[in-house]
Amino acid sequence: MMPRSVPMADVMVAPLCVCVCVCAYGSRSVTMGNKGSSLTKEQMKALQKEFNVSKDEIKKLHKVWLTYRLPEADGKAAGMDREGFVKFCDDVGNEDGNVPTIFDFIDTSGDGRIQFEEWIVFVLRAKNPSFDDYAQLVIDLYDEDNSGTVSREEVRKLAMAKAKIEGRLTPEREAEIETTIENIFKFAYAD
């Protein structure tokens, strides 16, 4: 009998290492505009090296973040709240129902706001994800009960919700989803 869920270890997924580069490197910093976040020169260099991107690309990403973020207020750091992130996703055409889960995934501090450091690490990592990063994101999206496993029901629930949001939830699509889910779980347990 096949187990009802797929343990992360069974699909050989390493934990996602979201290194946010927020270590203190002294007082020297590169201000990313006059409206908010700054990074030290060392943090900028670390991001450039880790993700093989230019300083200009980092600055462009900062401008996008500034468009959707809230200023520092009431003891909360400047950052993009859920509403800002939803607006960003709407503006770029991503309305697939995973937005709240993706927001929680990016907000590694758990403070309800995506700081620039969280934003840039996620965006740059998403540009060219490793297998482990991608697999961890998928597990984080599907694993609603935080069990470290993805059950058939969790996959089914998300797939059906996505099809419904897209206006494609027909009996034929439901059957296709069920077949796909079966094939995924058979593959996960193939010797």
Side-chain angles (χ1 to χ4, degrees):
M1 179 175 189
M2 223 191 289
R4 298 172 55 121
S5 59
V6 180
M8 287 192 328
D10 286 355
V11 291
M12 295 182 284
V13 176
L16 178 63
C17 175
V18 180
C19 73
V20 181
C21 300
V22 292
C23 301
Y25 288 106
S27 59
R28 297 176 308 157
S29 66
V30 176
T31 301
M32 306 306 279
N34 59 2
K35 296 182 181 177
S37 181
S38 64
L39 295 173
T40 65
K41 287 181 181 181
E42 289 82 0
Q43 289 168 322
M44 176 70 81
K45 286 178 184 175
L47 287 169
Q48 288 175 283
K49 182 178 179 182
E50 180 177 357
F51 298 107
N52 194 27
V53 295
S54 69
K55 190 174 181 177
D56 287 340
E57 186 168 357
I58 293 170
K59 287 181 177 182
K60 286 177 189 175
L61 290 171
H62 186 258
K63 285 181 183 179
V64 171
W65 177 80
L66 284 174
T67 303
Y68 298 96
R69 67 110 173 128
L70 296 172
E72 186 175 333
D74 300 325
K76 283 194 166 192
M80 191 184 304
D81 65 356
R82 282 184 191 276
E83 187 177 316
F85 187 65
V86 167
K87 178 152 178 33
F88 165 76
C89 290
D90 288 346
D91 289 350
V92 298
N94 181 2
E95 305 166 25
D96 68 3
N98 294 336
V99 172
T101 304
I102 294 170
F103 178 90
D104 291 340
F105 183 78
I106 299 170
D107 179 23
T108 58
S109 66
D111 66 355
R113 290 194 177 181
I114 299 171
Q115 282 74 45
F116 177 65
E117 293 82 3
E118 294 168 324
W119 169 255
I120 194 165
V121 168
F122 176 78
V123 171
L124 293 176
R125 197 169 295 266
K127 274 181 62 175
N128 191 16
S130 68
F131 173 78
D132 289 347
D133 290 345
Y134 184 76
Q136 185 65 49
L137 176 60
V138 169
I139 287 171
D140 289 345
L141 288 174
Y142 287 86
D143 184 18
E144 291 182 337
D145 63 4
N146 296 317
S147 64
T149 65
V150 178
S151 69
R152 282 183 172 83
E153 189 54 38
E154 287 168 327
V155 173
R156 182 178 295 108
K157 182 178 175 183
L158 187 62
M160 295 295 185
K162 184 171 177 22
K164 185 176 180 181
I165 287 169
E166 293 171 345
R168 300 182 334 154
L169 189 57
T170 63
E172 295 81 20
R173 182 70 177 134
E174 285 186 43
E176 182 182 340
I177 289 169
E178 291 296 334
T179 300
T180 301
I181 291 169
E182 274 306 309
N183 290 336
I184 289 169
F185 279 80
K186 282 180 186 174
F187 177 76
Y189 286 101
D191 288 60

